[in-house]
Amino acid sequence: MAALLKWFDHKYKFPVHLVETIVTIVVTALAIAYLKTPGAIVTRIRILIPIVGAKSLVVQAYQWLTEYVTVFTKWRSLKANAILNGLEVLFWSAFIGLLFQANIAKCTGPACGVSWAIFAIGIGLINLLLWVAVSSFLEFRLYRRIGTTNGGSQIPIGQSY
């Protein structure tokens, strides 16, 4: 258990948030580019992916502002972050799974390559979101247990969560 907790140390939070935001922007931009590609098969799932990307960017903006901008820290909620990050994993997993089904059903032309690129990058995004969800949950549990987030340092290992 102790070795597992080292993977979710809070010192990695800022770089992972940064990469998560960049990857979300890339997936959203590719999904919008797909819709503009000639010969693209426009289905509901392919229309919804840019919308889910925009929703994720709003959630990430909330987390960025409340975590790193001192003016907004009074609205910071570790419980809300844990819940939102858990839901992000579920939403992106569902949409990437549905995109996989849509790609298997019918995918032709240059739009097919863009759609598979969205799928591949989306899998990476799900992995990042899963890390952030587990890290947020552990941070919330630590806060409930000892009343502090330990200043962003490593989670005490001898305790059960």
Side-chain angles (χ1 to χ4, degrees):
M1 183 72 175
L4 181 65
L5 289 178
K6 289 182 183 179
W7 283 90
F8 299 103
D9 194 350
H10 299 302
K11 68 182 177 184
Y12 303 123
K13 191 181 212 178
F14 179 78
V16 172
H17 269 188
L18 183 62
V19 172
E20 173 191 5
T21 303
I22 291 169
V23 172
T24 303
I25 291 170
V26 167
V27 168
T28 305
L30 280 174
I32 292 170
Y34 175 86
L35 295 174
K36 305 266 185 205
T37 305
I41 301 167
V42 180
T43 60
R44 288 182 192 147
I45 188 62
R46 291 185 172 126
I47 293 171
L48 284 176
I49 287 184
I51 296 168
V52 171
K55 176 209 52 84
S56 291
L57 289 173
V58 169
V59 168
Q60 291 167 13
Y62 163 75
Q63 291 178 353
W64 274 97
L65 290 173
T66 59
E67 186 79 23
Y68 305 113
V69 179
T70 55
V71 176
F72 298 108
T73 54
K74 63 182 172 183
W75 290 294
R76 181 176 182 220
S77 170
L78 296 176
K79 185 175 185 178
N81 285 348
I83 292 169
L84 289 171
N85 288 326
L87 288 174
E88 286 289 309
V89 174
L90 293 175
F91 291 148
W92 277 104
S93 297
F95 283 107
I96 294 301
L98 290 171
L99 179 65
F100 178 75
Q101 287 181 342
N103 285 349
I104 294 296
K106 188 167 185 183
C107 189
T108 58
C112 186
V114 175
S115 188
W116 281 110
I118 294 169
F119 172 76
I121 297 170
I123 294 294
L125 178 62
I126 290 169
N127 290 328
L128 285 171
L129 290 169
L130 188 59
W131 185 93
V132 171
V134 171
S135 177
S136 297
F137 177 74
L138 291 175
E139 186 177 21
F140 172 63
R141 291 296 303 251
L142 178 68
Y143 178 75
R144 287 187 68 198
R145 188 168 187 89
I146 64 175
T148 182
T149 60
N150 208 14
S153 63
Q154 188 171 353
I155 295 173
I157 292 179
Q159 301 177 10
S160 62
Y161 292 96

